[in-house]
Amino acid sequence: MNRRSGSTLPWLIAGGAVATAWVVWRRMQQPYYPSVALQAGLEMVSRRYRVLAIGPHPGDLELFAGGTLRLLSQNGSAVTMAVLSRGEQATNRANIGEIRAKEAGQAAAILRAELIQLDLPDGQIRPGPALERALDELWSRTRPELVLAFDPKGPMPLFQNPDHLALGAAVLARARSAISRGERIYFYAARHPNVLVDITEVAQEKLNAVRAHRSQLVGPDWAVAWFNRYVGRLHTGRVPALYAEPFYRLV
């Protein structure tokens, strides 16, 4: 029997390249000083604050910071989840914006947070007067001491959502005045985190909040649970935590 020489070599090379890229990316996701980052996360959720957590779309906060928000609320912080849009561009389903806003309310209740639902256009959130007015309103209503927003760099170089980046950039632009008022600003979905919050004890509550967004879930329930666990373990390679959420503390 004749064998085609070299037929598997390209696949081996491609597989090796993908595996190497994956290892490098995972390594980049780890804090430089993991034990210090974990201690910083414990300090973050142990104190009481007026918390303003801002997400561009329903479900963003639950996926990237749901466990942290639940820890903050159950430890005595007053947590407000502000969602800038209704996520109406997600599908062609009728009334999807109203459906997603209702799901966001259910998720906020699970995380013991108050929900503020705004109506910026999904897919068109950009730096400018409309976003600035929305943020001014949120700051005025909540008088935050601790702010969570999307990392303006995004979690990875490719496949970045402009709505996410616009929110992060707008909050970053407010950093100077935030420092003068004594506010703390943390970016979630951080590419280079310096804070890790151990969410192991509230992992089920986070999963329940993610599951509340039923209109956006694809596949069987076990797949949703697996993905949630996978995201939670991306940053736990060098710390004694089963599940963690990463943040970059700006100030």
Side-chain angles (χ1 to χ4, degrees):
M1 181 176 65
N2 295 327
R3 299 179 62 184
R4 293 180 294 176
S5 66
S7 61
T8 61
L9 183 59
W11 293 103
L12 291 175
I13 294 174
V18 170
T20 300
W22 170 248
V23 171
V24 170
W25 183 74
R26 280 294 303 274
R27 184 71 176 179
M28 289 173 60
Q29 297 290 302
Q30 305 304 316
Y32 290 120
Y33 305 105
S35 61
V36 176
L38 194 64
Q39 183 62 35
L42 178 62
E43 187 270 343
M44 172 187 176
V45 299
S46 297
R47 298 184 182 183
R48 295 184 178 184
Y49 301 99
R50 290 189 300 274
V51 179
L52 172 60
I54 314 170
H57 316 103
D60 289 334
L61 288 170
E62 292 84 339
L63 179 61
F64 292 110
T68 299
L69 294 176
R70 172 64 187 232
L71 285 172
L72 283 163
S73 62
Q74 74 180 31
N75 288 338
S77 288
V79 178
T80 299
M81 296 170 60
V83 183
L84 298 183
S85 77
R86 295 177 180 267
E88 65 274 9
Q89 297 299 319
T91 69
N92 293 325
R93 182 176 175 182
N95 301 320
I96 186 61
E98 289 77 6
I99 292 170
R100 295 194 69 185
K102 182 178 179 180
E103 292 171 343
Q106 294 168 348
I110 293 170
L111 299 179
R112 300 180 181 175
E114 177 188 355
L115 177 69
I116 297 178
Q117 178 66 63
L118 300 182
D119 290 292
L120 294 182
D122 182 19
Q124 300 179 45
I125 299 174
R126 299 294 183 270
L131 179 55
E132 290 303 320
R133 285 194 298 269
L135 295 180
D136 286 342
E137 176 187 349
L138 292 174
W139 253 259
S140 177
R141 289 180 63 176
T142 63
R143 297 179 296 111
E145 298 168 313
L146 189 153
V147 178
L148 302 182
F150 214 100
D151 191 328
K153 292 185 177 180
M156 53 195 307
L158 302 177
F159 311 113
Q160 300 198 45
N161 187 308
D163 289 358
H164 297 173
L165 303 185
L167 168 60
V171 173
L172 178 61
R174 291 171 172 254
R176 188 182 299 274
S177 59
I179 293 173
S180 67
R181 294 191 299 267
E183 297 169 9
R184 294 182 170 205
I185 296 179
Y186 293 81
F187 290 129
Y188 57 84
R191 193 185 306 180
H192 301 293
N194 57 11
V195 175
L196 290 178
V197 176
D198 183 349
I199 63 163
T200 305
E201 69 174 277
V202 293
Q204 185 60 51
E205 287 80 2
K206 173 179 179 171
L207 176 58
N208 291 343
V210 171
R211 283 172 169 161
H213 295 273
R214 291 177 293 277
S215 68
Q216 303 305 297
L217 301 181
V218 178
D221 186 67
W222 65 263
V224 175
W226 177 88
F227 180 75
N228 193 66
R229 290 194 300 269
Y230 167 78
V231 171
R233 301 199 69 172
L234 276 175
H235 302 84
T236 58
R238 295 188 289 161
V239 295
L242 185 58
Y243 302 112
E245 289 174 341
F247 299 88
Y248 180 83
R249 181 181 175 183
L250 184 63
V251 294

